[in-house]
Amino acid sequence: MADKRRSEPFIEDADRFPSSPRKDRRPPSPDRRPPASDHRPPAGDQDARRRKAQQRRRRNSVFQYIAILFCAAFLLLLFTFMMERRQSQQQIDDLKQSASALQTLQGMIQTNEQLKNQVAELESQSESLQQRCDQLEEHSTAAQQAQSEAEKSLQAMDWFWQINEAYVRGRYKLCRELIQSIEAAGLQGSLPKESITDNNRFSPADRYQEIRDKLIK
């Protein structure tokens, strides 16, 4: 053990042999003392102040950078919100226009249906009026024919009375002439075939045929 301790070099250990505080605290020599008028802080304080100033500048820079990022993010969010709001408003306007167009289309469809119903009613009324007009035309034609037959019948009766009177008076020549005239006018067929007197003996047509058979053979 003694040999090993001797072989180890002698190293002063500060822990083993602490220095005496009295020896370290030597009073400064009068030549090294700073003058009384020099109030400069120690170098350690300057470094600490410099580090604190740098830290403040760094914090301020970081805060400014964060503030710029926050403002940029806020502006981006605001721009995005405005764009989305604009798109939403445009979509709402498009939907309103679509709804208005749909309502207009529905109104046009309803109006078209109403017009179709009105056209169908007018067509039905037109058909009824056309049928009524046809009936009126038929009645008018029948009335005209009846009027024409009545006029012919009146003319034929006028000829008949002349023929009958000439025959009764014995004026046979005049009677033959009247018979030829009535037949030339084609009115002999318009004489009534029913009796117009109370004796119920002869109708004008029968009387005319009787006179003609006796005078014209």
Side-chain angles (χ1 to χ4, degrees):
M1 297 295 291
D3 295 335
K4 291 180 178 181
R5 290 180 180 178
R6 289 177 182 177
S7 62
E8 292 178 356
F10 180 76
I11 299 172
E12 292 184 357
D13 193 353
D15 295 334
R16 294 181 180 179
F17 301 98
S19 60
S20 175
R22 293 180 180 180
K23 293 180 180 181
D24 294 337
R25 295 179 181 177
R26 294 178 181 179
S29 60
D31 296 335
R32 294 180 179 177
R33 290 183 180 176
S37 61
D38 191 0
H39 296 287
R40 293 179 181 178
D45 294 340
Q46 291 180 358
D47 293 338
R49 290 180 180 178
R50 190 178 300 110
R51 285 195 296 272
K52 290 181 180 179
Q54 290 178 356
Q55 290 177 358
R56 281 197 298 270
R57 285 195 296 272
R58 289 176 182 176
R59 284 197 299 270
N60 292 332
S61 299
V62 171
F63 290 155
Q64 291 177 358
Y65 181 72
I66 292 172
I68 292 171
L69 289 178
F70 179 78
C71 292
F74 178 76
L75 292 175
L76 182 61
L77 290 174
L78 181 61
F79 179 74
T80 304
F81 173 75
M82 294 299 293
M83 291 296 294
E84 289 180 355
R85 184 177 180 182
R86 183 177 179 181
Q87 291 178 357
S88 300
Q89 187 65 33
Q90 187 175 1
Q91 291 177 357
I92 292 171
D93 294 337
D94 293 338
L95 290 175
K96 288 181 178 179
Q97 291 179 358
S98 300
S100 179
L102 181 60
Q103 291 178 357
T104 304
L105 181 60
Q106 289 178 352
M108 292 176 66
I109 291 172
Q110 292 178 357
T111 304
N112 190 17
E113 292 295 331
Q114 292 177 358
L115 290 175
K116 286 181 178 180
N117 294 330
Q118 292 178 1
V119 168
E121 291 179 357
L122 290 174
E123 287 179 353
S124 178
Q125 293 177 1
S126 177
E127 291 178 357
S128 299
L129 290 174
Q130 186 64 35
Q131 292 177 359
R132 184 63 178 170
C133 288
D134 295 338
Q135 291 176 358
L136 291 174
E137 288 180 357
E138 292 177 357
H139 293 163
S140 177
T141 303
Q144 290 177 0
Q145 291 177 357
Q147 183 178 0
S148 178
E149 292 294 334
E151 290 177 355
K152 289 180 179 180
S153 179
L154 289 174
Q155 292 177 4
M157 286 299 296
D158 187 21
W159 287 104
F160 170 75
W161 293 121
Q162 293 180 25
I163 293 169
N164 188 58
E165 185 178 0
Y167 180 77
V168 171
R169 289 184 180 184
R171 302 175 64 179
Y172 299 122
K173 183 178 179 180
L174 178 60
C175 187
R176 291 188 186 95
E177 292 176 356
L178 292 172
I179 290 172
Q180 291 176 359
S181 298
I182 192 174
E183 289 181 356
L187 297 175
Q188 71 278 8
S190 298
L191 291 171
K193 296 180 180 180
E194 296 179 357
S195 178
I196 58 176
T197 60
D198 296 334
N199 54 11
N200 293 326
R201 182 179 178 184
F202 294 107
S203 64
D206 295 336
R207 179 60 177 170
Y208 169 79
Q209 190 63 37
E210 181 183 5
I211 296 171
R212 187 180 185 280
D213 292 341
K214 290 180 181 180
L215 295 178
I216 300 175
K217 296 181 180 180

